[in-house]
């Protein structure tokens, strides 16, 4: 299982492959599993990042440029089960500069009486495309790992 979250929003999406793909992925163990999963998930998270930059207020260019993807800690239990996550948010180094992002996300003054919720909208809008990209990339990476594992001769 893979998860994409919008930092500080409480909104997330869970990504899985197709049942056949999930069975193949579950057979892969250790560092290779984590590497393959994170590569596929990073590709899918980039879609959410693109939507977040599109939905943020246009006069907050620093915030738009400051958004990045990074690993999300899902907790010890998830790590032990081999699950992993990515998030779209502001890196720690820039949080002091861009601390107003939470106001833009939740303050009704920025969204014509309703909270703008640009990150929530980005996660929800990117869901179909992110799932498709995750499945495609996961399938490609699993196939590549299987090709490497088969000795030629």
């Amino acid at each position: 299982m893979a998860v994409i979250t919008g930092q500080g929003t409480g909104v997330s999406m869970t990504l899985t492959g197709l049942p056949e793909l999930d069975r193949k992925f579950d057979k892969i163990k250790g560092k290779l599993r984590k590497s393959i999963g994170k590569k596929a998930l990073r590709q899918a998270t980039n879609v959410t990042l693109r939507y977040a930059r599109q939905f943020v207020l246009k006069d907050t260019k620093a915030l738009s440029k400051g958004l990045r993807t990074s690993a999300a800690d899902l907790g010890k239990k998830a790590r032990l089960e081999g699950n992993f996550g990515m998030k779209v948010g502001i890196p720690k180094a820039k949080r002091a500069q861009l601390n107003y992002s939470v106001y833009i996300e939740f303050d009704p003054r920025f969204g014509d009486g309703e909270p703008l919720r640009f990150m929530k909208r980005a996660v929800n809008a990117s869901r179909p495309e992110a799932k498709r990209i995750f499945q495609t990339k996961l399938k490609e990476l699993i196939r590549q790992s299987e090709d490497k594992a088969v000795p030629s001769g």
Side-chain angles (χ1 to χ4, degrees):
M1 175 185 70
V3 178
I4 297 177
T5 65
Q7 181 181 349
T9 63
V11 179
S12 66
M13 72 173 105
T14 301
L15 302 175
T16 59
L18 305 167
E20 173 191 328
L21 194 58
D22 286 342
R23 280 192 297 277
K24 286 183 179 181
F25 187 60
D26 287 341
K27 289 179 184 177
I28 300 170
K29 300 293 180 202
K31 289 183 180 179
L32 181 60
R33 174 189 168 88
K34 189 174 182 178
S35 172
I36 287 173
K38 283 195 171 186
K39 283 179 185 175
L41 187 56
R42 185 165 301 276
Q43 293 290 319
T45 307
N46 285 336
V47 175
T48 306
L49 175 62
R50 189 179 74 231
Y51 275 94
R53 286 180 174 160
Q54 177 182 333
F55 289 145
V56 74
L57 293 173
K58 300 301 177 218
D59 59 347
T60 57
K61 288 184 182 175
L63 177 58
S64 179
K65 290 179 181 181
L67 292 171
R68 297 281 185 271
T69 61
S70 61
D73 185 12
L74 302 178
K76 184 177 180 179
K77 182 181 178 195
R79 280 194 307 275
L80 292 174
E81 292 173 353
N83 299 330
F84 42 86
M86 297 287 290
K87 65 183 175 186
V88 174
I90 299 164
K92 286 182 182 178
K94 292 193 175 194
R95 283 194 193 139
Q97 265 179 296
L98 302 172
N99 63 352
Y100 58 89
S101 66
V102 70
Y103 299 110
I104 292 175
E105 178 75 11
F106 295 108
D107 195 326
R109 293 175 294 174
F110 295 108
D112 296 327
E114 291 289 322
L116 184 61
R117 301 300 302 261
F118 74 94
M119 194 63 76
K120 178 181 179 180
R121 289 174 40 218
V123 171
N124 290 334
S126 68
R127 193 177 308 262
E129 188 178 352
K131 283 185 177 187
R132 181 183 52 75
I133 287 173
F134 178 72
Q135 290 173 347
T136 303
K137 191 68 176 176
L138 190 61
K139 189 181 297 183
E140 175 189 322
L141 291 168
I142 289 173
R143 191 175 312 120
Q144 286 175 3
S145 74
E146 289 173 344
D147 291 344
K148 286 181 184 178
V150 175
S152 60

